[in-house]
Amino acid sequence: MNSDTTTRSTSLPPFLESLAPDSSVPYINAIFPASEGIPPAHVHWWPCKQSGVSPSTILLFIPGNPGVIDFYHPFLTAIHNQDRSGTLAILSHSHIGHDPAVEDLEPASRTSSNHALPFQIQNSLRIFDVLSIYFGVNTRTVITAHSVGSWVALQVLKLRSAAVSGVFFLCPTITDIACTPNGRLLSQLFRPPFPRIVSQVAQALRLMPLTILCWLFPKYPISQARVLHSFLLSPSSIFAAMTMAHDEMLSIRELDVATLNTYRHQIWVYFAEHDDWVDKGREVILQVFRPDRDTTVKVVHGHRDIPHAFCINHSDELAVVCYEWLVSGGFA
C-alpha cells in the first residue's frame, strides 16, 4: 500500500469500513456496517482538506431513486473542490438494496418492506445519528438530497431538527409524486408483481455490452454509463429500486406544510425549470415559501437545460449552487 492510500485510510472515521481502496479518486470508498437490523450501506467519504482537524461542517448526501451513489460523486467532488475552509467533509450513502457495490445476501433483506420508504428513513437516521454522536456539537451537519431523497431528508429534519443545521432540497419530490407526468406514466409498472418480473428479465442484460448501452443513452458520459450498466446487471438492485418507487407513489401525497413552515429558516430549494417528477408540485411548495412572505427560504430556479437527473451531465452547475448556499449559510 502506498503512502497516499495509507493516509487516506487513516482519515476514514472509525464507524466506516474501507471498501476497495482506490487512490485515483478524491473520495474514500467505504461501507457503513449493518446495525439496528439494517444491512450495510455503500458510502463515499470526502475528508477535510486540512489533515488532523475535525470537520466544522459535514454535508450528508441522500440520493434519489435509484439510490446509487456512484452517480453523484462528480457532483459532490465538485463541491469539495470549491471548499476554501479546509474543514468541510462530505458523506454520501446509498439506499439499502439499490447499490450493486454492496451485495446484500441476507434473504430477509430482499422483502418488499425492507426496501420501502420507512426502512430507507431508518437507514438515513442511523447514519445521521452516528455522525452527530461521533463528531459532536461543534460540527454542523447539512443534509443535501436529490429527488425522493428530499422526502427522506424532510423526515430526518422533522425527527432531528435540533441537530440539523440546514437542508438543501434538489428537485424535491415531496408532494403527490403519483400525480406528476412521470408518476402517471410509470406507477403501474412499479406495482407488484412487476418489480420481480422486471428484475428477473433484466438478467438478460448480462449479455449486453457497454457499447450498446452507450448507444441507447447517448447523452450519458462513459463514466455514468458504466454506473448505469452495473445497476442494470443487478436484479436485486432493480427490484429494490422499483419496490421503493411503488412505495413513493403510495406514501408521498399531501405536502407536509407544517414541517416546512416550522423549519423554513433551515431550508434551501432548487427546482429544475422543466421537471416531470415534480411538475405542479413546484407551485404547491412555493406557496409555502412565497418570497413576499419572508426571505428565510432560499429558492433557486434552474436553467432550462438542467434536467431532474442533473447528476448525469450537470454536476458542476449544481455544485456551484450548493457551495454558494454553504457559504451564505455560514457553513463554509
Side-chain angles (χ1 to χ4, degrees):
M1 180 181 291
N2 61 40
S3 58
D4 181 61
T5 302
T6 302
T7 301
R8 289 162 61 78
S9 296
T10 58
S11 63
L12 191 67
F15 53 82
L16 300 178
E17 298 176 359
S18 182
L19 173 69
D22 183 356
S23 60
S24 69
V25 296
Y27 54 87
I28 302 173
N29 200 32
I31 288 177
F32 191 96
S35 63
E36 303 175 23
I38 303 173
H42 186 205
V43 303
H44 289 159
W45 171 255
W46 287 257
C48 297
K49 290 180 179 178
Q50 284 188 41
S51 60
V53 300
S54 186
S56 61
T57 299
I58 295 176
L59 189 153
L60 174 62
F61 182 76
I62 304 175
N65 186 359
V68 179
I69 56 175
D70 281 342
F71 281 123
Y72 296 95
H73 69 72
F75 162 63
L76 296 170
T77 295
I79 294 177
H80 196 253
N81 287 344
Q82 293 177 79
D83 177 46
R84 295 184 294 273
S85 70
T87 57
L88 171 69
I90 300 175
L91 180 70
S92 65
H93 74 76
S94 65
H95 293 312
I96 296 299
H98 290 215
D99 203 319
V102 180
E103 287 295 335
D104 174 30
L105 302 178
E106 299 177 36
S109 70
R110 298 188 190 129
T111 64
S112 296
S113 63
N114 283 2
H115 298 311
L117 282 171
F119 200 70
Q120 306 297 353
I121 293 167
Q122 290 303 313
N123 180 46
S124 293
L125 280 171
R126 65 169 180 155
I127 294 173
F128 179 89
D129 288 343
V130 167
L131 287 172
S132 299
I133 293 168
Y134 181 77
F135 289 105
V137 296
N138 292 325
T139 296
R140 296 161 297 195
T141 302
V142 175
I143 303 173
T144 301
H146 176 224
S147 190
V148 70
S150 298
W151 193 86
V152 175
L154 187 61
Q155 313 316 307
V156 177
L157 174 61
K158 185 191 301 189
L159 296 169
R160 301 291 188 270
S161 57
V164 177
S165 297
V167 181
F168 299 167
F169 292 139
L170 308 178
C171 307
T173 56
I174 57 176
T175 180
D176 284 327
I177 188 171
C179 297
T180 65
N182 282 347
R184 291 192 297 269
L185 179 66
L186 297 171
S187 59
Q188 294 300 319
L189 182 63
F190 301 142
R191 293 177 178 269
F194 291 110
R196 184 70 67 188
I197 294 170
V198 173
S199 64
Q200 294 303 314
V201 171
Q203 294 190 60
L205 294 175
R206 294 180 184 276
L207 303 176
M208 179 191 295
L210 181 61
T211 52
I212 294 180
L213 193 68
C214 291
W215 178 76
L216 292 172
F217 295 89
K219 293 184 178 181
Y220 275 50
I222 186 65
S223 58
Q224 298 287 37
R226 287 195 181 99
V227 178
L228 179 61
H229 192 239
S230 176
F231 173 74
L232 293 176
L233 293 181
S234 173
S236 63
S237 297
I238 293 171
F239 175 77
M242 293 183 67
T243 299
M244 178 172 150
H246 176 55
D247 199 29
E248 293 170 37
M249 302 299 127
L250 299 177
S251 301
I252 302 178
R253 296 291 190 176
E254 185 175 349
L255 184 66
D256 189 350
V257 173
T259 298
L260 293 176
N261 263 322
T262 300
Y263 305 112
R264 58 194 300 120
H265 61 288
Q266 294 164 260
I267 294 172
W268 285 253
V269 188
Y270 177 93
F271 290 108
E273 183 178 279
H274 180 79
D275 192 332
D276 283 342
W277 281 115
V278 176
D279 196 41
K280 295 177 182 178
R282 174 168 61 178
E283 281 304 312
V284 176
I285 297 167
L286 287 174
Q287 286 296 326
V288 182
F289 299 146
R290 282 298 175 198
D292 56 343
R293 294 179 58 184
D294 60 54
T295 58
T296 57
V297 175
K298 283 64 66 176
V299 177
V300 170
H301 297 275
H303 189 273
R304 56 190 171 86
D305 293 332
I306 301 178
H308 181 86
F310 71 87
C311 58
I312 303 303
N313 281 304
H314 297 279
S315 291
D316 288 346
E317 294 93 327
L318 267 291
V320 168
V321 172
C322 289
Y323 189 70
E324 287 176 353
W325 287 347
L326 286 169
V327 172
S328 65
F331 307 125

